[in-house]
């Protein structure tokens, strides 16, 4: 595989940033064929051997920060540091074989012009190769290995994003040859974001909104959509129901390209997890491997913020959990976290408490609208 490692570098620029290319089915199949041919060439040589698989290192130590020069958008990415999957190591042999199994499956998916979710792929592999695949996590990690080896996106491999995302408000969506969907008429449930990135890319989007409001929680999204907040504050509401999936990040990024003047305002809990969710939308996540940076957006932190805590009744505060402290330590070690975010995070840890958006209902169930409007004015987004 050393030949493939060197030859594959010709596909890419000499920049330090390593990324997963968005390729056609034909191009991906060609990369898989090259890797197989090089592997067979080594096996059939006079001195046959099984070489390690050279993968882009996905560890945090290999992460770097790309600072926006002409825009306010910064992002995290992986640099050109390799690790390996070795067939000759006892604890690595199965992981080595899993990469080939997933590549084989993806090749057939692309030939058949199909798309599958990671969950569907797991069950297929579980039935075909039960000795190698026993959990969804193994499949997910192996998919990332294949992405790191072939340097192409999951979507290019025929693996569709599973989406939890919803959108509501002043947004019109139209698929080619389909009727227009008015997201303000979708009720409190909103419009379900498809996991088909190809479909999302083809959507025609129109709006007369002045803001995009990114909501951490489904329950808060439901409340704002039910109250039709977007009629009084001309806005688009979007949620991923927690940590963002690729499809939700994709459509948010698409909206920023279509409507570059609309500020994206994030409404999250005042705790380390809320800030981590905001940062994933804003900077990307190394957990997404070579696709970490791709859909980063210039998200502004609307609330909850430290200066909002006076609005929260004391009995509504909840002690931080060990998981919160782990997330806080991870965020504090990040090269990309800006100073005012670090100050907020330090305040959370020092207080030992967290506050959730729902605590604002102390002032009435209609208070969220007033709170958002007030914060928009205070932040001078009007």
């Amino acid at each position: 595989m050393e030949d493939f490692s060197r030859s594959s570098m010709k596909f890419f620029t000499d920049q330090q940033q390593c990324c997963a290319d968005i390729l056609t089915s034909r191009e991906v199949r060609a990369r898989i064929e090259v890797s197989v041919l090089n592997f067979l060439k080594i096996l059939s040589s006079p001195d046959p051997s099984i070489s390690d698989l050279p993968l882009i290192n996905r560890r945090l130590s290999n992460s770097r920060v790309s600072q926006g020069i002409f825009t306010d958008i910064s992002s995290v990415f992986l640099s050109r540091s390799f690790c390996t999957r070795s067939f000759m190591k006892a604890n690595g042999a199965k992981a080595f074989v899993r990469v080939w199994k997933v590549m084989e499956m993806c090749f057939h998916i692309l030939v058949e012009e199909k798309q599958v979710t990671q969950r569907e792929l797991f069950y297929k592999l579980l039935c075909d190769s039960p000795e190698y695949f026993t959990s969804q996590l193994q499949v997910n990690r192996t998919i990332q290995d294949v992405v790191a080896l072939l340097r192409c996106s999951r979507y290019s491999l025929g693996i569709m994003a599973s989406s939890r995302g919803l959108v509501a408000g002043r947004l019109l969506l139209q698929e080619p040859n389909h009727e227009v969907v008015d997201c303000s008429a979708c009720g409190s449930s909103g419009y379900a974001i498809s996991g088909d990135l190809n479909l999302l890319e083809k959507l025609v989007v129109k709006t007369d909104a002045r803001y995009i409001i990114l909501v951490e929680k489904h329950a808060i999204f439901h409340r704002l959509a039910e109250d039709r907040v977007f009629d009084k504050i001309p806005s688009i509401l979007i949620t991923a129901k927690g940590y963002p999936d690729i499809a939700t990040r994709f459509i948010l990024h698409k909206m920023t390209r279509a409507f570059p003047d609309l500020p994206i305002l994030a409404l999250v809990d005042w705790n380390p997890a809320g800030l981590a969710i905001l940062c994933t939308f804003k900077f990307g996540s190394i957990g997404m491997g070579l696709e970490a940076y791709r859909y980063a957006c210039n998200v502004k932190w609307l609330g909850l913020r430290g200066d909002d805590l006076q609005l929260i009744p004391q009995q509504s505060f909840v002690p931080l959990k060990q998981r919160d402290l782990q997330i806080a330590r991870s965020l504090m070690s990040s090269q990309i976290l800006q100073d005012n975010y670090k100050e907020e995070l330090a305040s959370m840890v020092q207080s030992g408490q967290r506050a959730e958006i729902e605590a604002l209902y102390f002032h009435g169930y209609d208070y969220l609208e007033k709170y958002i409007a007030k914060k928009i004015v205070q932040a001078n987004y009007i």
Side-chain angles (χ1 to χ4, degrees):
M1 289 304 296
E2 291 173 358
D3 288 345
F4 176 67
S5 174
R6 288 193 294 268
S7 64
S8 68
M9 299 301 287
K10 297 176 184 178
F11 288 119
F12 315 105
T13 68
D14 292 327
Q15 297 175 356
Q16 185 186 34
Q17 176 171 314
C18 285
C19 60
D21 296 330
I22 297 176
L23 303 175
T24 65
S25 170
R26 187 173 184 176
E27 289 170 322
V28 178
R29 294 201 312 269
R31 291 194 182 187
I32 293 174
E33 288 166 349
V34 167
S35 66
V36 172
L37 288 172
N38 280 334
F39 186 68
L40 294 175
K41 180 181 178 181
I42 294 169
L43 285 180
S44 61
S45 67
D47 185 21
S49 63
I50 298 179
S51 297
D52 296 341
L53 296 176
L55 312 178
I56 297 298
N57 187 346
R58 302 195 302 277
R59 293 184 179 274
L60 186 62
S61 58
N62 190 38
S63 65
R64 300 291 184 271
V65 177
S66 172
Q67 300 287 355
I69 299 176
F70 301 108
T71 71
D72 293 328
I73 300 174
S74 299
S75 60
V76 293
F77 66 93
L78 293 171
S79 64
R80 192 167 293 155
S81 170
F82 282 87
C83 63
T84 59
R85 282 282 176 269
S86 174
F87 186 74
M88 306 312 293
K89 294 181 180 178
N91 60 351
K94 281 196 172 183
F96 180 97
V97 175
R98 285 187 197 113
V99 173
W100 290 103
K101 290 284 185 181
V102 169
M103 272 205 297
E104 178 190 19
M105 196 67 71
C106 289
F107 189 88
H108 289 306
I109 291 167
L110 294 172
V111 168
E112 295 174 13
E113 298 182 345
K114 300 287 187 183
Q115 287 186 334
V116 300
T117 64
Q118 291 190 163
R119 192 64 176 168
E120 290 171 326
L121 188 59
F122 163 63
Y123 279 109
K124 178 64 174 170
L125 290 165
L126 180 65
C127 295
D128 288 3
S129 307
E131 66 275 31
Y132 294 106
F133 296 94
T134 59
S135 71
Q136 182 72 60
L137 182 61
Q138 286 176 341
V139 174
N140 295 350
R141 286 177 174 172
T142 306
I143 290 170
Q144 286 281 12
D145 281 348
V146 174
V147 168
L149 176 67
L150 299 179
R151 309 276 279 281
C152 65
S153 69
R154 278 177 284 182
Y155 183 72
S156 299
L157 288 167
I159 300 171
M160 188 168 58
S162 296
S163 176
R164 303 181 303 276
L166 301 170
V167 63
R170 303 168 84 104
L171 180 67
L172 299 179
L173 301 172
Q174 185 173 22
E175 299 175 28
N177 304 316
H178 285 73
E179 293 183 359
V180 175
V181 175
D182 182 354
C183 293
S184 69
C186 292
S188 58
S189 297
Y191 172 83
I193 298 169
S194 169
D196 186 341
L197 302 191
N198 187 46
L199 173 63
L200 295 181
E201 181 60 41
K202 292 176 181 177
L203 283 176
V204 176
V205 293
K206 296 180 181 179
T207 189
D208 63 351
R210 295 177 60 187
Y211 314 99
I212 299 172
I213 300 177
L214 180 60
V215 185
E216 173 186 348
K217 293 180 170 179
H218 181 213
I220 300 298
F221 173 91
H222 186 279
R223 166 60 58 193
L224 295 175
E226 185 174 61
D227 292 347
R228 297 187 65 86
V229 165
F230 43 79
D231 286 340
K232 300 150 193 173
I233 303 172
S235 56
I236 300 166
L237 306 176
I238 186 168
T239 184
K241 303 179 185 177
Y243 281 94
D245 54 87
I246 285 185
T248 305
R249 289 184 63 202
F250 183 98
I251 199 167
L252 180 65
H253 188 261
K254 180 181 179 71
M255 286 192 283
T256 64
R257 286 183 284 133
F259 321 124
D261 296 328
L262 296 191
I264 307 170
L265 312 176
L267 186 62
V268 299
D269 289 339
W270 191 75
N271 63 20
L275 181 55
I277 288 168
L278 184 155
C279 288
T280 302
F281 278 107
K282 186 175 180 69
F283 305 119
S285 168
I286 289 301
M288 299 180 76
L290 272 67
E291 298 176 278
Y293 75 97
R294 189 176 296 281
Y295 306 116
C297 299
N298 185 22
V299 179
K300 308 291 186 183
W301 190 0
L302 188 70
L304 293 172
R305 302 292 292 269
D307 56 7
D308 299 320
L309 300 185
Q310 58 186 332
L311 301 171
I312 309 294
Q314 190 60 41
Q315 57 268 34
S316 295
F317 287 93
V318 179
L320 290 178
K321 298 179 181 179
Q322 190 61 37
R323 175 61 178 159
D324 292 313
L325 297 175
Q326 291 173 348
I327 294 171
R329 285 193 291 270
S330 177
L331 286 171
M332 283 298 245
S333 66
S334 171
Q335 306 171 49
I336 206 166
L337 202 65
Q338 53 206 63
D339 290 342
N340 59 334
Y341 284 17
K342 288 184 178 180
E343 291 170 6
E344 291 268 6
L345 192 58
S347 180
M348 294 174 196
V349 174
Q350 186 175 7
S351 72
Q353 295 181 312
R354 51 187 288 172
E356 300 189 359
I357 303 166
E358 288 90 339
L360 293 174
Y361 291 153
F362 169 78
H363 302 280
Y365 289 109
D366 61 346
Y367 183 73
L368 268 180
E369 174 196 327
K370 299 172 186 176
Y371 168 81
I372 293 170
K374 181 180 178 182
K375 294 292 288 188
I376 287 173
V377 172
Q378 287 177 343
N380 198 28
Y381 293 127
I382 57 175

